[in-house]
Amino acid sequence: MDQNNTRNTVVFVVCAAVLMLLYQVFVMGPITRKRDAEAQAHAAAVAAQPIAMAEAGSSIFVTREQAVAQSPRVTIDTPALQGSLALKGGRLDDLYLKQYRETLAKNAPPVELFRPEGAKNAYFSDSGWTGPIQGPGPATVWTANPGATLTPSTPVTLTWDNGQGLIFTRVISVDQRYMFTVINAVTNRGSTPVKLAPYASVQRQGIPTLTPNWLVNEGAIGSLNGVLKQIAFKNWKKNGDQAADTTGGYMGITDKYWLAAVSPDQKEPVKGEFKVSNVNGADVYEADYVGQPRTLAPGQQTSETTHVFGGAKQVSILQDYEKTLNIPHFDDAVDWGWLWFLTRPMFFVLEIFFHLFGNFGLAILGLTVVVKALMFPLANKSYESMSKMKKLQPQIEEIKKRFPDDPAKQQQETMAFYKTERVNPLAGCITMLPTIPVFYSLYTVLTVTIEMRQAPFFGWVHDLSAGDPTTFVNLFGLIPWNPATTPLIGTFLDGPLHLGVWPLIYGFMMWLSTSMTPQQGTDPTQKIMMQVMPLMFVFIMGRYPAGLLIYWSWSQFLSIAQQYLIMHRYKAENPIDGLINRLRGKSANVPAKA
């Protein structure tokens, strides 16, 4: 590689790093702070239940508490869920996830999934019958068995008589986790046949606070005829309603970590639909299905069984439902990304190590060892070639001195010399390329899987999926001051200047690794750029998930150890030997004994 190519490469990398830094500061920084502020406001709203006013249209929303009180209710109480079932409409519209909290703060409220209509951002599931009949609707008040409470051992039966010969029954049961089973039945006690069709839906009024990350699909999701369907909120309204005939499958609405979905019998042909409507100035997003019309003769009864999922997208739970209920692509509600063939195995390896160590941070360290072991032979050859290049640097400099004004001749002689010495100058790229998809896949796992949400490591890292909470600005917490609260410059102090312990460890490891890599060319500008690059990447990576920095730092440490041993075997100069020799008072150019 000649000096011009080297210079162009370095300039490209530096420009890319600068662009990434600017993007982080002026785009991702404000979005992340806005998301965090909205999350905190939402957590406070859940706890305090303040009155919410509509931003569009003339509607005035009531508090969540008031919306709940507008209907008689049946309590829902399971190991995973708490809330209530509205008898007005017979809906699942009040649901919290017991095992997950809005934030890491003490006494933080549980995560809210469903909220009743009438409150802002209503979110609920409904089911029943449609057709030219007088059936139950949103205003229908059902009758429940006295003293009913919906638990895994006590299903609830709702009944309603339309006064025209049709008796409607709705039996709702729930398991220990997140799956409701709703059996809607209707008996015709009239004198004429009736035509009707079953339906089930999940409806969300307004768009929630979205994750500022392109890795995660948030919006419509489902499986139609065995094909996974995903529509982001931003495209859902733009593209309009979408419908397809399918046998079985599921239709739902997904957040980053949470899912609400309805699923018919997997042998039943239905029409699945994702649609958007506007009610009182607010967008209403709905995922539903409608079954085949059926005619109910006098004296006959018909029923429809619907499964309603409302809970966390925990991979093992989704896979269990996919297997036991035969729901296709159900675990694909977790957005594994386009490198799913790497992301999935990586997650399962992490789970294995988690069951061994009981900590996802240690699991990441274990995964790193596995990755390094798989790449060990390739890395060994690469480091051997790089060590030879490092040792041959004086001869390369001599070639350049012989042809100071002829770069082409320098290149020709240098490549001939490398060929004679059996050295590949591009060997360093061999080990870098496989690490890129691994890095991306781990970033995806940390971003999309709820298992990583609020998963602690040791010390100050309480959430591997979030950035390192410490910052050098307040001496890593020794000064009782939150930089984010500082006017004007708080954006930078809590943004690009928010460098915690793990970003600094990562930067040191990157600097050491760069120092051990043989430099091409003698241009001092290039050398300065290569020295500055680790510092730039510290700022770029500073706000990335702590789990990712732990992985990269540990991976760099293992690579450095492997490279050091090889360089020592070839007696090539490296910064570690130089440091050891300086501590011993010897010449920095003499390799230390292993």
Side-chain angles (χ1 to χ4, degrees), residues 357-525:
F357 302 138
N359 183 285
F360 270 112
L362 293 178
I364 290 174
L365 300 184
L367 171 69
T368 310
V369 173
V370 171
V371 172
K372 299 301 291 185
L374 292 175
M375 293 174 27
F376 182 83
L378 187 64
N380 231 32
K381 290 183 179 297
S382 175
Y383 293 146
E384 285 178 359
S385 182
M386 291 169 64
S387 297
K388 291 179 181 178
M389 286 182 62
K390 189 88 172 179
K391 191 174 181 180
L392 295 175
Q393 281 300 110
Q395 291 92 323
I396 300 298
E397 295 302 321
E398 287 297 324
I399 293 175
K400 292 175 180 177
K401 289 179 181 179
R402 293 206 317 262
F403 308 99
D405 301 320
D406 192 347
K409 188 64 174 178
Q410 286 183 18
Q411 178 74 1
Q412 180 181 352
E413 292 294 323
T414 299
M415 296 307 296
F417 179 68
Y418 281 150
K419 186 175 181 180
T420 302
E421 296 294 330
R422 297 181 180 181
V423 172
N424 182 1
L426 300 179
C429 299
I430 297 176
T431 54
M432 285 185 60
L433 293 177
T435 64
I436 296 174
V438 172
F439 182 83
Y440 173 84
S441 298
L442 181 60
Y443 182 35
T444 301
V445 169
L446 287 166
T447 303
V448 306
T449 57
I450 194 170
E451 288 80 356
M452 299 297 167
R453 179 184 184 265
Q454 298 180 0
F457 189 42
F458 296 108
W460 61 94
V461 177
H462 304 295
D463 185 352
L464 290 167
S465 67
D468 189 322
T470 61
T471 173
F472 80 96
V473 176
N474 62 6
L475 297 183
F476 309 106
L478 294 178
I479 301 176
W481 164 54
N482 183 3
T485 61
T486 305
L488 299 178
I489 62 172
T491 299
F492 289 91
L493 295 179
D494 194 47
L497 294 182
H498 187 115
L499 297 180
V501 176
W502 277 106
L504 294 176
I505 293 174
Y506 160 79
F508 173 74
M509 291 297 176
M510 186 177 180
W511 168 82
L512 191 55
S513 178
T514 302
S515 300
M516 297 175 75
T517 303
Q519 301 293 322
Q520 295 288 326
T522 58
D523 189 341
T525 303

Side-chain angles (χ1 to χ4, degrees), residues 95-372:
L95 207 58
Y96 289 92
L97 310 184
K98 284 183 177 180
Q99 298 168 351
Y100 297 95
R101 299 286 169 177
E102 291 281 355
T103 67
L104 285 169
K106 292 182 178 179
N107 302 319
V111 168
E112 176 197 40
L113 186 70
F114 288 159
R115 63 167 51 187
E117 195 167 25
K120 190 176 182 180
N121 296 324
Y123 192 13
F124 53 85
S125 176
D126 196 6
S127 62
W129 303 94
T130 182
I133 60 171
Q134 184 182 347
T140 300
V141 179
W142 294 71
T143 300
N145 40 315
T149 297
L150 182 56
T151 71
S153 60
T154 57
V156 171
T157 300
L158 310 180
T159 57
W160 182 70
D161 187 338
N162 75 344
Q164 298 180 7
L166 295 180
I167 307 298
F168 295 87
T169 304
R170 183 170 296 169
V171 180
I172 304 175
S173 59
V174 63
D175 63 12
Q176 299 278 342
R177 298 174 296 188
Y178 305 118
M179 189 66 78
F180 295 86
T181 301
V182 182
I183 303 175
N184 281 291
V186 57
T187 302
N188 185 2
R189 295 182 179 174
S191 57
T192 59
V194 294
K195 191 174 183 179
L196 69 174
Y199 79 91
S201 71
V202 174
Q203 185 181 128
R204 189 166 207 162
Q205 299 178 0
I207 297 180
T209 302
L210 301 178
T211 303
N213 194 309
W214 57 272
L215 289 175
V216 183
N217 173 63
E218 295 181 276
I221 190 165
S223 176
L224 305 177
N225 278 326
V227 178
L228 183 67
K229 183 76 171 179
Q230 294 177 308
I231 312 172
F233 275 113
K234 64 179 180 180
N235 297 323
W236 195 344
K237 181 180 178 180
K238 180 174 64 176
N239 296 342
D241 297 351
Q242 299 186 40
D245 293 329
T246 178
T247 299
Y250 72 96
M251 306 84 201
I253 299 176
T254 181
D255 294 307
K256 179 178 180 179
Y257 295 123
W258 327 114
L259 171 68
V262 292
S263 176
D265 184 286
Q266 293 305 302
K267 296 181 180 179
E268 180 180 358
V270 299
K271 180 181 180 181
E273 187 172 19
F274 301 105
K275 57 188 178 183
V276 183
S277 57
N278 191 279
V279 180
N280 293 328
D283 291 328
V284 177
Y285 298 84
E286 186 174 357
D288 62 40
Y289 75 82
V290 179
Q292 297 296 309
R294 60 193 75 176
T295 300
L296 189 62
Q300 287 187 335
Q301 182 186 65
T302 188
S303 66
E304 173 76 9
T305 298
T306 299
H307 289 105
V308 181
F309 180 92
K313 297 193 295 187
Q314 189 174 335
V315 175
S316 59
I317 292 178
L318 296 177
Q319 289 182 329
D320 184 59
Y321 287 135
E322 180 172 333
K323 181 179 179 180
T324 57
L325 300 178
N326 297 315
I327 305 176
H329 294 291
F330 202 54
D331 73 332
D332 283 325
V334 177
D335 192 353
W336 298 105
W338 59 279
L339 285 180
W340 56 268
F341 51 89
L342 288 178
T343 309
R344 278 177 173 269
M346 183 172 292
F347 172 77
F348 294 134
V349 172
L350 282 173
E351 274 210 319
I352 291 172
F353 280 118
F354 174 74
H355 290 305
L356 288 174
F357 302 138
N359 183 285
F360 270 112
L362 293 178
I364 290 174
L365 300 184
L367 171 69
T368 310
V369 173
V370 171
V371 172
K372 299 301 291 185

